[in-house]
Amino acid sequence: MPPTLILVRHAQALHNEMKDYSIRDPDLTMLGQNQCLELRKSLMENPLAKEAGLIVVSPMRRTIQTALLSLDWLIEKGVKVEADAGWQENSAKPCDTGSPASKLAEEFPGVDFSALDPVFPDKTSPAASHYHFGRTPLLARARAALARLYTRPEKVIVVVSHSGFLRLAVTGCYYFNADYRVFDFSPQEGMPPDHGGDEAYGLVQHPSTKERGGGLGWSWTHEVVLGADLPDGEVPNELPPVS
């Protein structure tokens, strides 16, 4: 049986506060750190979160920091934190482009980067075409990220990712900073017919987070059609290839 997913948006980061998207791989703000405390309390009281056997993080500073601050109680029990580039944010703007993996591994030794795509943090070169900012690659990336989780043996998996990617390519739902939603898999449903692959991984949200606008109740309740607001073609490179 596929796992239940708890999908979390990172807490407030510097680019959110300052509306400055030129900040490369920004850290959490003080408000963001405080949001993590509220997220932590909510998850600790959530029966499903207590059963989590894996934590997956987008390999960005703000997502890793959110996981370490809000899920430390799971990590202390031995739950693994695994970095997966498939859960990065959509664009190649500086704020959505990661730091070198070697630097992140040194700074966050408790995170497993061993399976991280070696192309990371490149999001613009031909070799990184699956991370380009366009409707087809983003929906395909979401499908691949879900496929990797679908076959995992854990009963519950927590994923810390980004609002744009989660909303436009994965679930159709809005996520306020540090809010989360709970989903079960519904194979072969939920993806648009031209999503670009042979297999779809739809998700069905638990009423507990759907009806109140997220686990913390901070997010909008209305939804969008997957892929509807993504560019049909790829957006020109916003950064030179990352070495």
Side-chain angles (χ1 to χ4, degrees), residues 6-242:
I6 300 176
L7 303 182
V8 183
R9 181 191 177 187
H10 64 82
Q12 187 196 67
L14 289 172
H15 70 300
N16 301 131
E17 178 184 53
M18 301 176 67
K19 307 300 183 186
D20 183 354
Y21 307 112
S22 68
I23 302 172
R24 179 69 176 264
D25 196 9
D27 291 297
L28 295 183
T29 62
M30 184 61 68
L31 173 59
Q33 294 177 40
N34 289 332
Q35 290 172 337
C36 286
L37 297 180
E38 296 188 62
L39 171 61
R40 181 180 188 271
K41 181 178 184 296
S42 179
L43 291 175
M44 288 186 73
E45 296 172 350
N46 188 306
L48 279 172
K50 293 177 181 179
E51 298 186 61
L54 178 68
I55 300 165
V56 176
V57 294
S58 162
M60 306 287 290
R61 297 179 58 81
R62 59 189 182 270
T63 42
I64 295 172
Q65 290 167 353
T66 298
L68 296 180
L69 288 171
S70 61
L71 300 168
D72 59 315
W73 54 282
L74 285 175
I75 297 169
E76 290 171 0
K77 296 178 182 178
V79 176
K80 179 181 178 182
V81 183
E82 184 176 289
D84 185 344
W87 292 94
Q88 294 179 84
E89 184 57 293
N90 294 341
S91 83
K93 290 182 173 69
C95 65
D96 293 333
T97 301
S99 304
S102 58
K103 180 179 178 182
L104 291 172
E106 181 178 350
E107 184 173 355
F108 303 106
V111 178
D112 184 359
F113 294 93
S114 63
L116 187 63
D117 188 341
V119 77
F120 178 85
D122 180 6
K123 297 175 77 174
T124 60
S125 77
S129 60
H130 46 300
Y131 298 114
H132 287 184
F133 182 32
R135 187 171 187 269
T136 296
L138 281 166
L139 291 177
R141 172 151 68 90
R143 186 182 69 254
L146 290 172
R148 286 191 292 275
L149 299 185
Y150 186 84
T151 57
R152 295 285 309 202
E154 294 84 6
K155 182 177 180 179
V156 178
I157 297 174
V158 182
V159 179
V160 185
S161 185
H162 307 264
S163 63
F165 183 63
L166 290 174
R167 181 178 73 256
L168 298 176
V170 182
T171 72
C173 300
Y174 284 87
Y175 297 76
F176 188 83
N177 284 123
D179 209 352
Y180 67 95
R181 296 177 183 272
V182 182
F183 294 87
D184 287 319
F185 278 98
S186 178
Q188 307 303 323
E189 297 178 1
M191 296 292 278
D194 59 339
H195 66 271
D198 298 324
E199 193 168 14
Y201 291 86
L203 297 172
V204 177
Q205 186 174 181
H206 284 207
S208 61
T209 59
K210 181 180 179 68
E211 293 170 359
R212 65 188 300 252
L216 292 170
W218 292 348
S219 306
W220 293 341
T221 56
H222 62 280
E223 300 181 11
V224 302
V225 176
L226 290 179
D229 293 327
L230 294 171
D232 289 331
E234 294 183 7
V235 173
N237 291 352
E238 299 171 85
L239 285 175
V242 179

